[in-house]
Amino acid sequence: MNLRPLHDRVIVKRLDQETKTASGLIIPEAAAEKPDQGEILAIGNGKILEDGKVRPLAVKVGDRVLFGKYSGQTVKIDGDELLVMREEDIMAVVEK
């Protein structure tokens, strides 16, 4: 990937959402909502504070994260749909 986020931005790839319900019903792609989980592919250097210092990000490449449904800006790179968002748009890291 030739995309390097700046400052407190991260690049996230949405994870595929389940196409079956717990009861076994198959959800057609047109009716499925966009997933609100993704994997971080790249991170910036950190947030620049008012005093000029740089605070490193709390997330790292490979983390699985939760974010808001309308968070970030969608971009297409090499046929993949990716999200560019600020660290503050991430709500949680999913621990395994």
Side-chain angles (χ1 to χ4, degrees):
M1 173 188 354
N2 296 334
L3 203 57
R4 183 177 52 94
L6 300 176
H7 309 299
D8 64 334
R9 289 183 176 84
V10 298
I11 308 295
V12 177
K13 181 173 184 177
R14 287 185 193 268
L15 296 176
D16 292 331
Q17 190 161 350
E18 292 293 322
T19 57
K20 262 189 190 179
T21 64
S23 61
L25 295 175
I26 297 176
I27 302 170
E29 210 171 294
E33 292 184 12
K34 287 186 177 179
D36 53 1
Q37 287 189 36
E39 180 183 353
I40 295 182
L41 300 179
I43 63 172
N45 293 332
K47 183 171 177 87
I48 298 176
L49 305 175
E50 289 182 17
D51 62 1
K53 294 182 181 175
V54 176
R55 179 186 56 81
L57 300 182
V59 294
K60 61 186 181 305
V61 173
D63 280 350
R64 187 174 182 166
V65 294
L66 293 175
F67 49 86
K69 190 178 290 192
Y70 302 107
S71 297
Q73 177 68 39
T74 304
V75 294
K76 266 201 166 173
I77 304 290
D78 297 331
D80 288 330
E81 192 173 288
L82 305 174
L83 290 168
V84 179
M85 66 179 68
R86 292 191 177 274
E87 182 188 32
E88 64 193 30
D89 293 335
I90 296 172
M91 296 186 283
V93 176
V94 178
E95 306 260 335
K96 295 178 185 175

